[in-house]
Amino acid sequence: MKNSDFIIGKVPITKEEVRSIALSKLDIENAKKFMDIGAGTGSISIEAALKNPSLEVTAVERHNHAIDLIEANKNKFSIENIKIIEQYAPFEIDEKFDAIFIGGTGKKLEEIMDWVYEILNKDGKVCANFIIMDTFYKALEIFKNKGFKDIDVSMISISKLEKLGSGEYFKPQNPIFLISAKK
């Protein structure tokens, strides 16, 4: 899906190229339950739900204005298989998930990683993205120390062709650090 398909507002969106790679690493085609933590605009949740109508999607977001955008995007695409939880993760939940995407941690990285490990089914997959290197390094250590398997790390650097004067150039976007693993 293109970024322009979404209602965005002033909430960060997981860019389409990163979304594509992250959803591929999560193997959601074979999942029954998926959670998107720090859902923002809901782009990950929306794309996962649209492409997998039998998937139960849970979008977790703590900011009211982001919740409104997730609702707006959910309505725009007439999606029924997304449940939105307005909470600051981690929180009490008596469900287990086959795949979890971490798009934001709100300075609770370690607590969220502990929680994710608990609510992820055995052999479940997790994928997290980071733009801040310090947070990425801390997360990588947590992944290793927590006992996740098959840890895979990528740095995604995307540039888009744009006009510049009478010519064109590739305008770089911020690099994204992506960590994926299995429980």
Side-chain angles (χ1 to χ4, degrees):
M1 293 180 69
K2 300 244 179 259
N3 290 335
S4 58
D5 292 341
F6 295 94
I7 301 165
I8 297 172
K10 295 187 183 222
V11 175
I13 184 171
T14 302
K15 304 297 188 279
E16 61 195 75
E17 297 85 356
V18 175
R19 245 188 346 267
S20 178
I21 294 168
L23 289 171
S24 173
K25 296 211 178 265
L26 287 166
D27 191 26
I28 57 171
E29 298 82 20
N30 296 309
K32 290 184 173 110
K33 295 181 116 187
F34 169 65
M35 179 182 275
D36 178 6
I37 301 169
T41 59
S43 65
I44 289 276
S45 295
I46 299 291
E47 187 161 340
L50 275 175
K51 291 184 176 178
N52 304 278
S54 64
L55 183 67
E56 290 179 40
V57 178
T58 302
V60 178
E61 178 55 57
R62 65 187 173 117
H63 296 292
N64 299 19
H65 54 286
I67 293 288
D68 293 342
L69 284 173
I70 298 168
E71 286 283 358
N73 281 308
K74 182 180 169 185
N75 292 336
K76 177 181 179 181
F77 295 102
S78 302
I79 297 174
E80 299 294 323
N81 56 326
I82 294 179
K83 172 174 65 174
I84 301 169
I85 298 178
E86 187 174 354
Q87 275 281 10
Y88 200 137
F91 55 87
E92 278 297 314
I93 190 165
D94 57 357
E95 292 180 75
K96 294 275 189 179
F97 296 86
D98 303 304
I100 298 175
F101 178 76
I102 303 170
T105 59
K107 299 184 182 179
K108 288 190 167 190
L109 177 64
E110 201 156 339
E111 297 94 327
I112 289 173
M113 292 302 300
D114 288 342
W115 182 60
V116 163
Y117 196 82
E118 292 302 314
I119 64 172
L120 193 62
N121 284 323
K122 183 179 184 320
D123 293 323
K125 299 195 176 173
V126 61
C127 186
N129 72 345
F130 304 93
I131 59 170
I132 298 172
M133 288 186 68
D134 292 345
T135 311
F136 158 72
Y137 285 125
K138 187 187 285 185
L140 183 57
E141 282 306 307
I142 293 169
F143 270 91
K144 290 176 182 176
N145 294 334
K146 197 75 187 145
F148 283 99
K149 304 179 287 187
D150 303 333
I151 298 170
D152 182 67
V153 178
S154 303
M155 183 185 83
I156 303 166
S157 182
I158 298 164
S159 298
K160 294 283 199 174
L161 191 65
E162 290 195 10
K163 285 226 169 263
L164 179 63
S166 62
E168 297 174 314
Y169 81 115
F170 279 97
K171 182 178 181 180
Q173 297 178 359
N174 289 331
I176 303 293
F177 304 98
L178 205 64
I179 304 173
S180 60
K182 183 165 71 169
K183 179 175 176 183

